[in-house]
Amino acid sequence: MADHDDIEATSVDVVEDDPFIVRRAKLDHFRSIGIEPYANGFKATDHAAEIITRHAALADGEESTDVVTIAGRLVAKRDQGKLAFLVVRDSTDEIQLFCRVNILGEVLFGLVKELDVGDWVGVTGHVLRTRRGELSIQPSSIQLLSKSLRPLPEKFHGLNDTETRYRQRYVDLIANPEVRGVFEARFRIISAIRRFMEARDFLEVETPMLHPIPGGAAARPFVTHHNTLDMDLYLRIAPELYLKRLLVGGFERVYEINRSFRNEGMSPRHNPEFTMLEAYQAFGDMESMRELTESLITSTAQEVLGSLAIEYQGTPVSLASPWRQSTMAELVSDVVGESVSVHTPVEKLVSLCEAHEVSRDKSWGPGKMLSELFEKLVEHTLLEPTFVTEYPAEISPLARRKDGDPDLTDRFELIITGREFANAFSELVDPVDQRTRFEAQAVAKDAGDEEAMHVDEDYLRAQEYGMPPAGGLGIGIDRLVMLLTDSASIRDVLLFPQMRSEA
């Protein structure tokens, strides 16, 4: 709203209950008197937080000579005759506008009174502190930058309807400034992870998101179709097999912070689209991945939070090293009160599954039954960081078998607050063993297991050229952000979580 000397100070008069219609009428009114309600940019030179810090010592009733120019959204408004108090929020903070008709003039002051909460404005003026102690800008000019046609929800401060918050994240960010803090923390966490990995000489790479064969994890994929090639493709469920191809090609340390997709259920812990860190290190093993995992998470927490003593949903959790390490068999044995393992007779494991109401498929072997007992009886009890090791080979088709016991693998999962945060193992680099395990997965798929893996002939061909011994790691970024921001649901840490279609 600049250079309006030739504009009459008129106001819009609409008798209508629909706020959208009232605001649309205001938009038309502004245009009718020569004001463009959607500006082509604006040069702001200051931010609210900087102004507040710079003038912290300004006394009540004192006016500075500092002229500032800011831009932001109008989030509150109060008219008092020849005065108007507006609150503008920019990307850093909120600050009051102390508008006076004798400073702005009748024309601009009249237009200020037509502004609505939600409008974007650009402001230039002196900084002062009111007699009541409120640091303010006294505008000498105000420009409408973007007219808001939809009013913010009733009592938008503290909006807590989860459906609206997740579906209309843009409103959530306006109504709940603390939500912005969660996402700022998310991206600081990801930046900290990148710096950590670079310091460890890992190279960040990019691998395909469209796969001709889904692989790298046991999960149900999303299917799409490429018209030109006339072939089905799959949104990746994991980048693992492509990253390991790079080790074959001679890269020594690689990682990817990737978007992966799994066509599965949704819950406070699961979203069909999610973010993972996957890292692979030639000549590494499960132990080097364990050290990498613990160091990465503790380093990131210390950098972002400044502490390793956190609280998650009311439960204190210490991330301080060293973290506990225990085998799956030991943990299950402690709970059931007797020694069990993958070598326990099948009949005994079946009896334990029945006794503890673990649903069982007849095709399951001892390794699968042991893992299901662990998930039902143990996993939710592990609140402090715990590396659960020696996963059965039956449920670990890409992990190296444990020396001396081929029924187990050199694999761990990291459990914190009763949920999995990381999965890592010494990689299976033997192409003959890998083919055998892929073929076993194919049999399971033919028997109806939609999450079982395919036989990936190209990956096997890559391994047949020789893959170095290696360690591999996957960390769920969304879950790590949930932990470090004390967020109850994965939807709280995804800007735009998947939602059902609106009715």
Side-chain angles (χ1 to χ4, degrees):
M1 299 176 189
D3 300 326
H4 298 314
D5 293 340
D6 57 340
I7 297 173
E8 295 183 5
T10 59
S11 62
V12 63
D13 184 16
V14 178
V15 180
E16 176 60 55
D17 292 331
D18 188 336
F20 185 91
I21 294 175
V22 173
R23 290 180 179 227
R24 179 55 194 268
K26 287 187 179 183
L27 182 148
D28 294 338
H29 169 68
F30 286 144
R31 282 187 168 142
S32 73
I33 60 175
I35 297 175
E36 172 51 52
Y38 298 105
N40 183 18
F42 182 80
K43 292 183 179 179
T45 58
D46 304 272
H47 285 94
E50 299 166 0
I51 296 169
I52 292 168
T53 300
R54 197 159 68 232
H55 294 280
L58 203 63
D60 293 355
E62 183 180 356
E63 182 174 345
S64 79
T65 58
D66 188 16
V67 177
V68 298
T69 299
I70 69 166
R73 184 189 293 275
L74 180 61
V75 295
K77 180 183 175 185
R78 179 165 50 93
D79 292 332
Q80 288 188 349
K82 296 184 180 295
L83 300 177
F85 297 91
L86 281 58
V87 177
V88 170
R89 178 191 299 160
D90 66 12
S91 62
T92 66
D93 209 328
E94 296 179 356
I95 194 164
Q96 178 173 275
L97 306 183
F98 178 44
C99 302
R100 301 174 62 178
V101 66
N102 62 327
I103 300 295
L104 286 170
E106 294 286 347
V107 172
L108 278 182
F109 191 76
L111 295 173
V112 164
K113 294 174 77 70
E114 294 296 342
L115 293 174
D116 291 305
V117 169
D119 291 348
W120 290 82
V121 296
V123 179
T124 296
H126 285 82
V127 179
L128 58 80
R129 193 177 294 279
T130 67
R131 284 197 281 267
R132 295 185 176 223
E134 185 70 29
L135 189 72
S136 306
I137 298 172
Q138 181 171 268
S140 56
S141 69
I142 298 182
Q143 180 181 347
L144 175 62
L145 302 181
S146 183
K147 180 62 191 166
S148 168
L149 296 183
R150 289 184 182 271
L152 296 174
E154 184 76 17
K155 298 180 181 177
F156 76 92
H157 290 290
L159 175 70
N160 55 22
D161 178 73
T162 55
E163 179 78 9
T164 301
R165 290 184 57 225
Y166 297 147
R167 192 178 298 281
Q168 300 178 29
R169 182 67 80 187
Y170 38 89
V171 176
D172 188 28
L173 291 167
I174 298 168
N176 299 308
E178 69 278 6
V179 170
R180 180 188 179 94
V182 169
F183 291 105
E184 288 176 343
R186 177 189 177 98
F187 299 120
R188 286 199 303 273
I189 289 166
I190 293 173
S191 294
I193 290 171
R194 283 194 163 101
R195 285 191 294 274
F196 178 91
M197 296 300 288
E198 184 175 352
R200 291 288 187 103
D201 295 325
F202 280 84
L203 182 67
E204 184 172 11
V205 299
E206 297 175 320
T207 61
M209 296 179 71
L210 290 173
H211 292 187
I213 297 174
R220 184 177 180 180
F222 287 94
V223 186
T224 187
H225 188 79
H226 192 289
N227 292 332
T228 300
L229 296 177
D230 191 23
M231 63 182 290
D232 285 344
L233 294 170
Y234 303 86
L235 291 180
R236 70 176 170 202
I237 57 177
E240 178 168 345
L241 300 186
Y242 282 93
L243 290 169
K244 290 197 284 194
R245 284 172 169 92
L246 297 180
L247 300 189
V248 173
F251 286 93
E252 186 169 319
R253 298 185 179 204
V254 295
Y255 81 98
E256 185 172 6
I257 295 177
N258 65 85
R259 306 292 284 179
S260 291
F261 307 84
R262 299 183 184 177
N263 196 357
E264 299 170 342
M266 291 165 41
S267 76
R269 301 184 188 185
H270 299 92
N271 193 70
E273 178 182 3
F274 60 97
T275 303
M276 291 280 292
L277 163 73
E278 292 215 10
Y280 295 86
Q281 178 181 337
F283 318 117
D285 58 14
M286 183 190 76
E287 282 305 310
S288 58
M289 293 300 101
R290 186 197 59 74
E291 187 279 329
L292 180 70
T293 302
E294 187 167 338
S295 296
L296 184 153
I297 293 177
T298 55
S299 172
T300 299
Q302 188 67 53
E303 179 176 337
V304 175
L305 302 180
S307 174
L308 297 180
I310 66 173
E311 184 174 294
Y312 184 74
Q313 300 298 292
T315 299
V317 177
S318 172
L319 299 180
S321 297
W323 291 355
R324 178 188 182 190
Q325 182 171 318
S326 187
T327 70
M328 178 183 288
E330 289 169 343
L331 292 167
V332 174
S333 297
D334 287 345
V335 172
V336 300
E338 58 184 295
S339 179
V340 293
S341 72
V342 293
H343 305 299
T344 299
V346 170
E347 297 77 11
K348 180 61 179 175
L349 291 172
V350 169
S351 175
L352 285 171
C353 285
E354 291 174 348
H356 294 284
E357 299 181 343
V358 174
S359 300
R360 183 181 63 86
D361 188 279
K362 291 182 178 180
S363 65
W364 290 0
K368 177 65 172 175
M369 284 189 279
L370 184 68
S371 71
E372 291 293 321
L373 285 166
F374 168 77
E375 290 187 12
K376 175 70 179 291
L377 303 177
V378 181
E379 187 173 59
H380 68 278
T381 70
L382 303 177
L383 302 181
E384 296 289 323
T386 304
F387 291 109
V388 181
T389 62
E390 295 190 3
Y391 271 65
E394 181 183 347
I395 60 168
S396 310
L398 298 169
R400 185 182 185 278
R401 295 182 191 272
K402 179 178 173 63
D403 290 338
D405 193 339
D407 292 327
L408 299 174
T409 61
D410 290 324
R411 173 187 172 190
F412 72 74
E413 286 190 356
L414 170 63
I415 310 298
I416 312 175
T417 63
R419 63 187 64 175
E420 175 198 345
F421 279 79
N423 181 32
F425 37 80
S426 298
E427 296 295 335
L428 173 59
V429 301
D430 177 350
V432 177
D433 189 1
Q434 185 65 82
R435 179 177 291 279
T436 299
R437 296 206 222 173
F438 273 161
E439 289 174 348
Q441 288 280 300
V443 170
K445 181 170 286 293
D446 291 341
D449 185 349
E450 294 181 327
E451 295 186 353
M453 296 185 191
H454 295 256
V455 177
D456 189 331
E457 290 291 348
D458 181 71
Y459 177 67
L460 290 170
R461 177 170 57 191
Q463 281 198 322
E464 288 164 358
Y465 277 99
M467 178 177 167
L473 163 68
I475 294 178
I477 297 295
D478 303 320
R479 290 188 180 181
L480 181 59
V481 175
M482 288 171 62
L483 178 70
L484 298 185
T485 61
D486 192 18
S487 298
S489 170
I490 193 171
R491 294 184 178 188
D492 294 329
V493 300
L494 299 176
L495 278 169
F496 300 103
Q498 190 65 42
M499 303 288 291
R500 295 185 184 277
S501 298
E502 293 185 74

